[in-house]
Amino acid sequence: MPAAATELFGPALHRGVLTSGSADQLAALTARATGAPSACIQFAEGDRLRLYGSWGVAADWDEVTETGLDDSLGGIVMRSGQALLIRDAGDDDRVPDGVLRRDGGAYLGVPVHDRMGLVLGVCCAYDHRPREWTPEQVAAVAEAADVAMLLIGEQLARHELEQQHRFLDAVLDSLHDGVSACDADGQVVFVNERMRKLWGDLPVHDVTGLTDASGLPLPEQELGLFRALRGEQVRDTPIAAHHGRRTRFFLMDAQPIHGPDGRVVGAVQAVQDVTRQRRAERFRSCELAVTTALAEAPSIEAAGPRVLAAVVATLDWVHAELWTVDDGTIRAAARWSAPGRPSGVPVPERLAYGQGLAGRAWQVDKPLWIRDVGRPQSLISPDTSADLLHTALAVPVHDGTGTIGVLTVFADSVEDPEDELLALMSGIAAHLGQFVERRRVEDLQRQLTRSKNEYLGLIGHELRTPLTSISAYTELLREADEATLVRDGPRLIKVIERNTNQLREIINELLELSALDAGHADVRRTPMDLAAVVRDVVDRTRDAIDGAPVIIDADLPGELIVPGDRDRLRHIVENLLGSAVRFSPDGGRVGVSLRSTGRAAELAVSDAAADVPWAEREQMFTGHFRTARGHDRTLPGSGLGLTLSRAVVERHQGSIELTGGDSGTTVLVRLPLEVR
C-alpha cells in the first residue's frame, strides 16, 4: 500500500503542497486535544516517512523526523492501516529496537487516508513518558487525520489546478495564433503571448484601425469576443489591422464559454495572422500579371507600363520606373504612378553610368534598398522626391550578355528592407531579362530566315546571270555553221570564258566568306607593302577599263608596310576599286588614296556616283543588299565584295565604313600598322 500511495501521490506530495503553517497548526491542535506534549504529521515518500508538520519539542524528535517504513511506528500504522496505541514503549514488543526506548514513552498514531481509502501518511501524538490514551483522545487524533485528509485533498486539488493552469498557459503561449478570453461582463481575463505581439500595447478589445473583409471599419460589437458573448460561433472571419501604412490580415474565430447551468460565463477568441499567406497570394498574382503582360507585348517598352502597374498594385507602393541600357547611358523606357496618388513625378530621360538610383544600380549590379530618398546623398534629386517618395528599391535586369536595365519602385513612406520583397522584385527582373533575351533570339531567327531567303535570291540571281550567258553562247556555238564558227567563234568563246570566270569568282567568294565566318580561314599577317599592292591593282584596273568613260586618280605613297595577308588584301582592293568603277557615271572620276594616320593605314576608294543613303550604308555590308545606282562596266561583280571585305578587314583587327556626300561615296578601310 505505501508503494501504491507513492506511485499515485508521491510526486505531488512535496513540502510545498501541504504548507508548513497549516500542517504545524494541525499538529498543535492534535497535541492539545490529546494532552500530549508533542504531535506530528508524516507522509510516505518512497520507502520513507517524511515529517511535514509538528508541534512540541522532544529530545529524540529527530527519530521521527525522517524514518523508514520498516523500522518505525509510523510504518506499522501505514502497513496495517489501523490506529496504533503504545502506552509504554519499554514494555511493548511491537516497538522496534531503538525507538522510544530511552525512558519509555507513549505513542498514538492514526493513518491518513485519501478519499479512495489509500493510506498516505500518519497523524500521531507522542509523549516521552508512559501514559494511557483515552477513547476521546484516540477519537481526537482520528478526527485530526480526517482533517489532514481534507487539507491534503484541497491543497492537492489546488496544486493540480495550478499545474494545469501552468500547462495550459505554456500551451497557449506556444501557439502561433493569438488567444484572448473574457468573462461574462466582457472584461478580458486572459491574453497569450502571441496576442500581445500581434496587438502590441493596445487593449485586446481595441478595434482602432480594424476593418472587415470589405475594408469598412470594424465596430467594437463585431469583435469576436462580443459576438461570442451573444452566443455566436465565429469561424474564419477575415479582418485587417491598419497601423500607419502597414496592414496585417487575420482570420478570427470565437466561441462562448458555457457554465454548468448552460449560461454564457465568458468567451474565447483566436486570431490567426495570415498576412504572409495574403502577401504570397498577391506576389503570385503579380508574377502572373507580369508574365501575361510580357506574353502579349511585342517589346519591353510596350510591356513596361503593364509590368509596372502590376508591381505598384501588388506592393501598394506609389511609383515605378523601368530603365534600359542604351548607347552608354540608361534610358527611362516606362514609368507608372498609382491611381489617386500625386502624379507628375519628374523623371530624367537619361542617366549616365553611376548617376542616380538607376545608374548606381547599373554600376554596382546588385539590388539597392534606400529607406528614405528624401535624405541627403540618397541618389535621388530633391526635385524628384519632393516629399512624395521615401523608400526606394532598384533591381538590375540581366540577360545572357549582362545588365540591360534597372527596375525601380518607390513608396510614400519609410520602409525597412524585406527579403520576400527583394526576392519578388529579383524574380520580376529575371522575367524581364528572359523576355528581352527571348525576343532577341526570335528577332535573330526572323532576320536569319529573311537574310537566308534574300541571300539565296541574290546568289541565285548572280549565279543565273553568268550561267544564262554561258548557256546562250554555248547554244550559238552548237548551232553555228562552219563559216559562222570561223567568223564569230573566238568572240563567243571569249564571252563564255568571261562568264565562267565570273561564276568561278562568285563561288570562290562564297567559300571564302563562309570560311571566314566559321573561323576556318587561315589569315597570315606578315609584313607587306600595301602601297605596292594598291598600285598594281590600280594599273591592272586601268588596263581592264581602257576606253571606258571613267578616270582613276591615285594618290599613293612610295611604300607603306602593314602586317597583313597579301592575297586577301589584294582581293579587297580589287573588289572596292571594281565596285567604284561600276557605280561611277560616265565621265566620273574614281579616287584611290593611301596614307598613314597615327597607328593605322587608311585606304580610301571613292566613286562619283550618288551618295548611298544612311539607311542603306550598313545594309551594303550584309551580302544580300544591292543598290540600284550601278552602271554596267567591263568589271563584273558578285554582290559580295563589301561583305567579304568587312570579314577580311575585321580579321586584320581593322575597320571598314561607308562615308560620302553629294559628290559621291567613299569606302574607308583602316588597318593597324602593328600587330595587336
Side-chain angles (χ1 to χ4, degrees):
M1 186 173 294
T6 302
E7 181 181 350
L8 187 59
F9 295 99
L13 290 177
H14 53 79
R15 185 71 175 170
V17 175
L18 187 63
T19 61
S20 60
S22 58
D24 290 344
Q25 290 175 5
L26 183 58
L29 292 174
T30 302
R32 292 192 185 97
T34 58
S38 302
C40 71
I41 299 172
Q42 295 173 294
F43 289 100
E45 290 186 3
D47 59 352
R48 311 291 294 175
L49 277 172
R50 194 173 299 278
L51 182 66
Y52 276 82
S54 64
W55 189 85
V57 178
D60 56 351
W61 188 251
D62 290 341
E63 295 180 5
V64 295
T65 300
E66 184 175 349
T67 58
L69 292 175
D70 296 332
D71 55 359
S72 65
L73 296 175
I76 298 174
V77 177
M78 292 285 296
R79 287 194 297 273
S80 66
Q82 302 294 327
L84 177 63
L85 281 73
I86 302 294
R87 296 178 178 84
D88 186 352
D91 294 335
D92 197 322
D93 294 337
R94 294 175 298 176
V95 179
D97 294 340
V99 178
L100 302 177
R101 292 292 192 182
R102 185 177 304 166
D103 298 318
Y107 175 86
L108 172 55
V110 177
V112 177
H113 298 84
D114 66 359
R115 290 182 174 87
M116 304 298 295
L118 191 65
V119 179
L120 302 178
V122 178
C123 180
C124 65
Y126 165 76
D127 198 330
H128 58 277
R129 294 175 301 180
R131 60 170 292 175
E132 293 289 337
W133 299 102
T134 66
E136 291 78 9
Q137 292 171 340
V138 174
V141 176
E143 291 175 356
D146 291 339
V147 174
M149 178 191 69
L150 296 175
L151 184 61
I152 292 171
E154 179 186 350
Q155 297 202 10
L156 274 179
R158 185 181 300 115
H159 175 70
E160 291 176 2
L161 184 60
E162 182 180 354
Q163 290 290 85
Q164 291 176 1
H165 283 169
R166 290 179 180 273
F167 180 80
L168 182 59
D169 288 348
V171 170
L172 292 174
D173 281 340
S174 67
L175 294 177
H176 289 289
D177 295 351
V179 179
S180 58
C182 68
D183 59 20
D185 297 325
Q187 296 297 318
V188 176
V189 296
F190 174 80
V191 179
N192 75 339
E193 186 63 26
R194 182 61 174 168
M195 182 67 88
R196 293 189 186 94
K197 290 181 178 179
L198 293 177
W199 242 248
D201 297 330
L202 297 175
V204 74
H205 52 79
D206 190 339
V207 295
T208 304
L210 293 183
T211 61
D212 58 19
S214 62
L216 297 176
L218 187 71
E220 180 178 324
Q221 61 269 22
E222 291 302 312
L223 197 64
L225 285 175
F226 297 106
R227 292 174 61 183
L229 285 178
R230 298 196 298 267
E232 293 186 48
Q233 291 275 352
V234 181
R235 289 289 180 269
D236 295 331
T237 299
I239 59 174
H242 308 276
H243 300 290
R245 275 198 75 257
R246 291 189 175 275
T247 301
R248 303 187 71 88
F249 299 93
F250 304 94
L251 291 179
M252 179 176 63
D253 293 339
Q255 66 180 35
I257 301 173
H258 297 280
D261 57 358
R263 290 187 301 174
V264 176
V265 297
V268 61
Q269 171 182 273
V271 174
Q272 180 184 8
D273 189 346
V274 293
T275 305
R276 279 180 174 270
Q277 294 92 312
R278 287 286 298 272
R279 172 166 287 189
E281 292 173 1
R282 295 181 68 184
F283 283 4
R284 285 194 294 270
S285 299
C286 178
E287 290 181 338
L288 178 60
V290 169
T291 302
T292 303
L294 294 177
E296 298 174 351
S299 66
I300 190 67
E301 288 79 9
R306 290 186 60 185
V307 170
L308 298 182
V311 171
V312 168
T314 299
L315 303 184
D316 197 24
W317 285 21
V318 296
H319 183 71
E321 301 162 0
L322 178 61
W323 299 76
T324 56
V325 175
D326 181 28
D327 194 23
T329 63
I330 192 164
R331 177 177 59 88
R335 66 197 75 181
W336 182 268
S337 295
R341 301 283 184 173
S343 58
V345 175
V347 179
E349 290 299 322
R350 290 182 180 271
L351 293 171
Y353 183 71
Q355 180 185 9
L357 179 60
R360 181 62 60 84
W362 176 25
Q363 181 184 48
V364 301
D365 197 22
K366 64 180 182 180
L368 295 179
W369 185 294
I370 299 178
R371 293 186 71 252
D372 191 356
V373 298
R375 301 181 60 126
Q377 308 301 322
S378 70
L379 303 175
I380 302 293
S381 67
D383 293 337
T384 300
S385 60
D387 294 330
L388 300 176
L389 307 178
H390 291 282
T391 294
L393 172 60
V395 182
V397 177
H398 300 95
D399 68 352
T401 62
T403 304
I404 61 169
V406 174
L407 179 63
T408 59
V409 290
F410 298 85
D412 59 355
S413 64
V414 176
E415 303 283 350
D416 292 323
E418 295 185 34
D419 292 339
E420 292 178 347
L421 187 53
L422 285 171
L424 170 71
M425 296 300 295
S426 297
I428 292 174
H431 279 307
L432 293 172
Q434 293 169 2
F435 171 82
V436 172
E437 192 165 9
R438 187 169 61 251
R439 283 290 184 266
R440 181 183 295 119
V441 171
E442 292 172 355
D443 289 342
L444 288 175
Q445 289 175 337
R446 285 193 294 268
Q447 292 176 17
L448 179 61
T449 301
R450 185 172 61 251
S451 298
K452 181 187 67 174
N453 294 335
E454 293 176 351
Y455 192 72
L456 290 175
L458 171 66
I459 298 305
H461 173 74
E462 297 296 339
L463 291 175
R464 190 181 298 112
T465 300
L467 282 174
T468 300
S469 297
I470 293 172
S471 176
Y473 281 89
T474 302
E475 186 69 22
L476 290 175
L477 287 173
R478 181 183 299 114
E479 296 177 354
D481 55 20
E482 183 176 352
T484 303
L485 286 176
V486 171
R487 185 181 69 250
D488 298 332
R491 180 178 61 81
L492 297 176
I493 293 174
K494 187 175 181 181
V495 173
I496 293 174
E497 182 181 14
R498 185 174 71 247
N499 282 277
T500 301
N501 291 334
Q502 182 180 357
L503 185 61
R504 182 184 298 110
E505 180 71 12
I506 293 173
I507 294 173
N508 288 337
E509 288 189 347
L510 281 173
L511 294 175
E512 176 77 355
L513 184 59
S514 176
L516 288 170
D517 287 342
H520 298 154
D522 186 15
V523 177
R524 299 179 181 275
R525 299 175 65 191
T526 58
M528 55 160 287
D529 186 358
L530 183 59
V533 170
V534 175
R535 186 176 298 109
D536 183 61
V537 172
V538 169
D539 292 341
R540 289 175 178 272
T541 305
R542 282 172 175 164
D543 293 339
I545 64 170
D546 185 28
V550 175
I551 300 174
I552 300 176
D553 296 327
D555 180 12
L556 307 176
E559 181 183 72
L560 183 56
I561 306 298
V562 299
D565 188 317
R566 177 182 294 271
D567 292 338
R568 286 191 166 88
L569 291 180
R570 171 185 288 275
H571 196 186
I572 286 178
V573 178
E574 290 174 348
N575 275 331
L576 297 182
L577 188 54
S579 295
V581 170
R582 283 193 301 275
F583 291 136
S584 291
D586 293 344
R589 289 181 176 272
V590 172
V592 180
S593 66
L594 178 66
R595 60 177 181 153
S596 173
T597 58
R599 301 175 61 182
E602 283 191 357
L603 171 65
V605 180
S606 304
D607 60 46
D611 182 25
V612 177
W614 277 100
E616 295 184 7
R617 288 185 180 182
E618 185 62 26
Q619 297 182 67
M620 295 286 289
F621 291 95
T622 62
H624 55 259
F625 179 84
R626 290 181 69 95
T627 181
R629 67 193 187 102
H631 293 262
D632 294 332
R633 298 293 183 201
T634 57
L635 297 177
S638 66
L640 299 173
L642 288 178
T643 305
L644 185 59
S645 297
R646 169 173 280 186
V648 172
V649 169
E650 289 180 348
R651 292 296 295 271
H652 281 76
Q653 305 298 317
S655 65
I656 183 171
E657 62 178 323
L658 283 177
T659 63
D662 295 336
S663 60
T665 300
T666 299
V667 180
L668 183 62
V669 177
R670 293 186 180 90
L671 297 172
L673 294 176
E674 299 175 358
V675 177
R676 288 185 283 180

